[in-house]
Amino acid sequence: MLAFVHIEVTQGNLDEVGDALASVPEIVEAFSTTGGGDLLARVVARDNAHLEDVVQKLISLPGVVRTRTEVALRERVPHRLLPLVEAVGRAARR
């Protein structure tokens, strides 16, 4: 299963928490963000229980204040780059 975990971090600890995320193998991507949270992690898990274990691991990291998890139900647009490259090419030709 795929989930997105928003991570709120104690001020001044963004780099440390970001570095610690790299030690969690279930995190396949992580980004600093604006808005409701400081980091956004893309997390994969076998099932709900495994996801809960991963989230508990994140909560236990020093500097993590709270998390909010959203579970992906269905992929609507797969990861892609070709349409973007084609659009840039068309714009450049104009």
Side-chain angles (χ1 to χ4, degrees):
M1 69 185 313
L2 173 64
F4 298 93
V5 180
H6 301 263
I7 305 166
E8 188 177 322
V9 175
T10 305
Q11 285 188 337
N13 289 327
L14 188 60
D15 289 338
E16 292 80 3
V17 173
D19 291 344
L21 295 180
S23 70
V24 180
E26 294 87 355
I27 294 179
V28 295
E29 290 182 295
F31 302 91
S32 306
T33 61
T34 61
D38 301 300
L39 294 163
L40 176 63
R42 185 175 179 187
V43 176
V44 293
R46 293 183 301 275
D47 52 32
N48 288 348
H50 184 210
L51 178 59
E52 181 182 10
D53 292 342
V54 173
V55 170
Q56 290 302 317
K57 187 184 303 184
L58 297 179
I59 291 170
S60 71
L61 293 174
V64 172
V65 175
R66 99 180 23 91
T67 65
R68 181 174 53 88
T69 303
E70 298 170 355
V71 174
L73 298 176
R74 181 180 301 168
E75 183 177 62
R76 298 294 180 163
V77 178
H79 182 77
R80 63 203 181 132
L81 293 175
L82 187 57
L84 175 61
V85 171
E86 291 172 344
V88 169
R90 283 192 302 273
R93 288 190 293 272
R94 288 186 210 146

